[in-house]
Amino acid sequence: MTMLQETEAYLRYERTLLKKYPQAQNDINRAKKKILRRPSRGVVYRGLNKIALRKVRVAIRILRISPRKGLRLFYLYSEKKNKAVPIFIFKKGRPQTEGQVMKLFNRAINEVVAELKNVH
């Protein structure tokens, strides 16, 4: 079975998001369970070709926000290690531009990778 390894770096992004959208907690947990059941489900994000970063869309059901307008959860999946590592989560429309998204991704990936290196 696939293991989900959440880092403190990722959890900071999740806590920040949940301050604004506390109703999303159950939907985020549901998305993580789906990732564990089928980790290859996420679409490979085209923005980074060095790393197979995957993206899943998450609805906020209680607020009636569809997956299309809802959250984006990005994670790395290592088939070799059978491990999924959440990297970053945000509400679509925040940040606005692709450039802003890439800047935040790079920061999030660097934080998560640094934390994973310190764990091993």
Side-chain angles (χ1 to χ4, degrees):
M1 179 165 175
T2 302
M3 183 179 98
L4 189 72
Q5 183 175 354
E6 294 180 304
T7 63
E8 186 56 38
Y10 164 75
L11 291 172
R12 280 193 305 273
Y13 290 108
E14 188 176 298
R15 283 191 296 266
T16 300
L17 177 82
L18 288 172
K19 283 179 186 175
K20 185 163 182 161
Y21 299 100
Q23 307 90 337
Q25 183 68 66
N26 289 338
D27 297 305
I28 293 169
N29 291 339
R30 191 176 303 114
K32 289 177 189 176
K33 287 177 185 174
K34 286 181 180 180
I35 290 169
L36 287 174
R37 282 195 298 271
R38 203 175 90 214
S40 60
R41 80 182 298 119
V43 176
V44 175
Y45 190 67
R46 68 191 183 287
L48 299 171
N49 55 8
K50 293 180 184 176
I51 301 170
L53 187 66
R54 295 182 175 274
K55 170 181 78 174
V56 292
R57 293 181 173 110
V58 182
I60 305 176
R61 293 178 183 193
I62 200 162
L63 297 178
R64 296 187 177 175
I65 298 174
S66 71
R68 187 172 183 204
K69 294 182 179 183
L71 308 177
R72 302 294 183 263
L73 172 59
F74 290 83
Y75 65 98
L76 297 172
Y77 171 59
S78 170
E79 195 171 334
K80 183 178 175 183
K81 294 184 179 183
N82 205 23
K83 185 186 295 185
V85 180
I87 300 293
F88 186 58
I89 188 166
F90 69 96
K91 166 79 172 66
K92 183 172 180 193
R94 303 270 185 260
Q96 293 291 332
T97 68
E98 189 73 15
Q100 289 172 319
V101 171
M102 291 308 296
K103 187 175 179 180
L104 288 171
F105 281 156
N106 289 330
R107 186 175 77 200
I109 288 170
N110 290 334
E111 290 172 351
V112 169
V113 168
E115 189 174 331
L116 290 172
K117 284 182 182 178
N118 289 334
V119 169
H120 297 291

